[in-house]
Each structure stands twice: as C-alpha cells, then as structure tokens.
C-alpha cells in the first residue's frame, strides 16, 4: 500500500505454485512480522533439512529427552539420600535445582 493510505501494510505480489522455493524470503518476513527469533530459527533449520531431504526431528522428542535426563538425575539423588543422616532441606533444594536446571547443567552434574 502507498504511504498516506489508510492501510500502510506490506503487500506481497507472489504467485503460489506447487514445489519448493530455495530463494524464499519467508524468514525475513517472519522477523518483520514479530515472530519470536527461536521460532524463526527453527523454521530455518526445518527448511534447510527439507531442501536437502534430511529427516526432521520433532521438538517434542527433544523435550522428552530433557525430561528423561532430569528424571534420571532426580532418581540418582533419591538413591543416594540417607534418610537417617541426610539433610532433608539440602536434599529438597537439590531436587529443586534439578527441576530448574537446563539439560546441559543436569548432564554435567550427573
């Protein structure tokens, strides 16, 4: 739309056709539209893998792996806790730290 018009939005003059587009500007458009950077980066990764016919892992799988690592770390802490001599507050703090930690932190500490 022209400046001075009521609607000054961006107008795309493209024709949609079947197939892949290796020169897409969709990522830049997404950034301009305010899409979160993490979402745009994931889209870049998926697009690159689609163009090279690579398998695309679902994000849920990555989340499940993170949950599994946290669970394994918590079980390890539970197994080492001595109920008669252990500090319960420190034990609960450690479990809280595992729940709040990133996957990399949990892996490094285990």
């Amino acid at each position: 739309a022209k400046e001075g018009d009521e609607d000054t939005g961006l107008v795309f003059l493209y024709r949609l056709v079947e197939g892949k587009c290796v020169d897409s500007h969709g990522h830049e458009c997404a950034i301009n539209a305010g899409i979160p950077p993490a979402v745009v980066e994931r889209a870049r990764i998926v697009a690159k893998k689609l163009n090279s016919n690579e398998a695309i892992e679902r994000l849920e799988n990555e989340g499940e792996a993170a949950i599994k690592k946290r669970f394994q770390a918590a079980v390890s802490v539970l197994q080492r806790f001595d109920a008669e001599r252990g500090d319960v507050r420190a034990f609960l703090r450690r479990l809280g730290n595992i729940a709040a930690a990133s996957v990399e932190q949990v892996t490094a500490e285990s």
Side-chain angles (χ1 to χ4, degrees):
K2 294 185 287 183
E3 192 173 337
D5 288 348
E6 207 171 289
D7 178 23
T8 59
L10 187 59
V11 176
F12 294 95
L13 302 175
Y14 289 97
R15 181 172 47 112
L16 296 178
V17 295
E18 189 176 335
K20 296 179 186 178
C21 177
V22 294
D23 295 327
S24 173
H25 301 285
H27 301 114
E28 288 76 18
C29 294
I31 291 168
N32 290 335
I35 303 298
V39 174
V40 176
E41 182 57 28
R42 175 66 179 163
R44 284 184 202 273
I45 291 167
V46 169
K48 183 178 177 183
K49 288 186 178 214
L50 282 173
N51 284 331
S52 61
N53 292 321
E54 293 179 49
I56 300 168
E57 287 188 27
R58 295 178 57 112
L59 289 179
E60 290 83 12
N61 292 341
E62 296 166 14
E64 290 170 10
I67 291 169
K68 184 176 180 180
K69 285 187 184 291
R70 283 191 178 91
F71 177 76
Q72 289 169 335
V75 167
S76 176
V77 169
L78 287 167
Q79 289 173 335
R80 291 190 310 251
F81 181 68
D82 182 346
E84 291 182 14
R85 296 184 227 168
D87 181 349
V88 174
R89 288 179 195 227
F91 167 72
L92 293 174
R93 248 190 328 273
R94 176 71 180 113
L95 288 177
N97 291 342
I98 289 170
S102 70
V103 177
E104 292 81 16
Q105 291 169 323
V106 170
T107 303
E109 293 174 8
S110 297

